[in-house]
Amino acid sequence: MGGGGCQGGAPAGNAGPQASPHPGRGGPVPAPAPLRSAPPPAAGLPPSFAQAPAPPPDRAVLPGGLLGGLRAGVSGAAADRWKPTRRGAQLSCTMGQKKQRALEAKRHQNPSDGTQTPSPKELHLGPPATLGPTRSIYFSSPEGRPARLGSAFFDQPAVSLARAFLGQILVRRLDDGTELRGRIVETEAYLGPEDEAAHSRGGRQTPRNRGMFMKPGTLYVYLIYGMYFCMNVSSRGDGACVLLRALEPLGGLEAMRQLRHALRKGAAGRALKDRELCNGPSKLCQALAIDRSFDQRDLARDESVWLEQGPPEPSEPAVVAAARVGIGQAGEWAQKPLRFYIRGSPWVSVVDRAAEQDIQTGARACSHKDF
């Protein structure tokens, strides 16, 4: 907006009409300065601008502004002729301010990439009140899909990874596009060559356990008893991994039930309850159709199975540290509290009442010094 346009109502270079003697106090009032001629049009303007007549004297602005001119002696019909001009100037000024504010409030779209940049008004007021979610370095996912946990999440020692798995969502996409989902509620940590219960004890490497020595996040799937599969995820440290023991089923339960019915041995006619679908390492693999073909896959990048961050909980769940299951021949390592589960979860495979009592009384606190 031009300077002075809101105050005078007309271009500041014009002068008002001759003032008449005031009939009131003080006798005659000196007339204002004579009108100045309009400046010649600038070179190069279109003919319509060059030929435009100068504004009539009764629409010009008096020296010192409108009020100054009226005080200088304009009265009667001459003063009346000024009133529409003042109202029109004020209306024009107000409308101009509204248009300017409307333009400032708009967001300008960048046609090159479709992004929007904040208007000057928004920059002055600061950031918007609502901010988008902050993406963690753990997340690695194409746009439009739920964020999945990336390689950095798995790059931690087996004990801390086993605890970090609790509450996360394991997702399995079947060939027909069906997605099966479950919340991890129970895990076991295996610490590598020093762990007498680990397949990598003593540092031995075989074609079977090669996944345990690959980068963190690599799946290690093996067969037990000649008929059941177990799924592990490698962690930081050669030969270290975490066994996934139990899930809380969240999505695709009927598909899980059908898979378990087709693969389980015995009691084929009895319908499985929801809590029986994934409450064990081999049951979990049956319900998600996990077999040896998944061995050595990257959980951070695979298109058929991945991990997503679990929803936030109102309070941090209590985690029980108990002895691992089914490793009675591992000496003192059989008693190490390397199995972790969410206390009170009905989906856990085996509940250790003694360990829960120890947690309640504070007698047992799991730390890395225990291993």
Side-chain angles (χ1 to χ4, degrees):
M1 296 173 62
C6 295
Q7 300 296 327
N14 298 334
Q18 294 290 336
S20 60
H22 199 285
R25 297 164 297 179
V29 178
L35 289 171
R36 290 178 291 178
S37 59
L45 289 178
S48 58
F49 283 87
Q51 298 173 5
D58 62 346
R59 296 295 181 183
V61 178
L62 294 174
L66 176 61
L67 295 180
L70 290 177
R71 292 193 187 101
V74 179
S75 63
D80 290 340
R81 287 197 299 270
W82 282 101
K83 293 179 182 178
T85 304
R86 175 175 173 82
R87 288 196 297 269
Q90 290 177 333
L91 179 59
S92 175
C93 176
T94 303
M95 293 298 293
Q97 289 176 335
K98 289 182 178 179
K99 289 180 180 180
Q100 182 68 17
R101 286 195 296 267
L103 289 174
E104 289 180 349
K106 288 183 179 179
R107 296 180 64 87
H108 307 287
Q109 188 164 2
N110 187 345
S112 63
D113 57 6
T115 58
Q116 289 184 333
T117 55
S119 67
K121 183 176 181 181
E122 289 171 319
L123 291 174
H124 177 71
L125 294 178
T130 303
L131 297 176
T134 302
R135 183 172 293 274
S136 165
I137 60 171
Y138 290 156
F139 297 157
S140 172
S141 175
E143 293 296 330
R145 287 181 51 182
R148 63 189 291 172
L149 293 170
S151 299
F153 173 82
F154 304 103
D155 189 12
Q156 51 185 311
V159 172
S160 60
L161 181 60
R163 297 177 71 98
F165 267 129
L166 299 178
Q168 313 302 346
I169 308 301
L170 185 64
V171 185
R172 167 76 166 96
R173 177 178 290 165
L174 303 179
D175 292 340
D176 63 359
T178 302
E179 288 190 359
L180 314 177
R181 294 173 176 267
R183 177 172 176 253
I184 300 174
V185 297
E186 183 181 4
T187 60
E188 282 181 355
Y190 290 86
L191 308 188
E194 63 176 328
D195 189 342
E196 292 296 325
H199 290 174
S200 58
R201 59 185 176 272
R204 61 183 180 182
Q205 299 185 40
T206 66
R208 179 197 185 201
N209 72 357
R210 185 171 182 273
M212 300 180 72
F213 293 87
M214 296 175 69
K215 71 174 186 176
T218 302
L219 292 181
Y220 168 44
V221 181
Y222 60 87
L223 188 68
I224 61 171
Y225 307 128
M227 62 181 71
Y228 300 121
F229 292 100
C230 292
M231 179 168 60
N232 302 258
V233 183
S234 66
S235 64
R236 183 186 300 172
D238 285 346
C241 68
V242 175
L243 171 67
L244 303 183
R245 284 198 57 91
L247 302 178
E248 174 189 350
L250 298 177
L253 272 68
E254 287 308 311
M256 292 182 185
R257 210 180 314 274
Q258 294 175 12
L259 287 167
R260 288 273 286 115
H261 178 77
L263 297 173
R264 68 188 177 125
K265 309 296 182 181
R270 183 177 66 84
L272 290 171
K273 298 177 182 179
D274 290 352
R275 67 173 304 273
E276 297 176 305
L277 293 176
C278 302
N279 62 335
S282 296
K283 295 177 183 179
L284 180 159
C285 287
Q286 287 182 350
L288 300 185
I290 299 292
D291 56 23
R292 183 69 176 174
S293 67
F294 284 83
D295 185 51
Q296 300 182 21
R297 293 195 189 187
D298 187 353
L299 193 56
R301 298 179 179 274
D302 197 82
E303 293 298 321
S304 298
V305 61
W306 63 87
L307 201 67
E308 295 176 2
Q309 186 183 39
E313 298 291 337
S315 60
E316 186 176 353
V319 175
V320 178
R324 292 174 290 187
V325 178
I327 55 172
Q329 305 302 318
E332 64 175 351
W333 283 89
Q335 303 304 317
K336 297 283 187 180
L338 291 171
R339 181 167 66 97
F340 305 96
Y341 66 87
I342 297 177
R343 183 181 179 187
S345 172
W347 318 97
V348 172
S349 64
V350 179
V351 173
D352 190 326
R353 299 298 181 188
E356 291 188 6
Q357 184 65 28
D358 290 343
I359 293 295
Q360 186 174 358
T361 60
R364 173 179 292 181
C366 177
S367 70
H368 293 282
K369 295 180 180 179
D370 295 330
F371 315 123

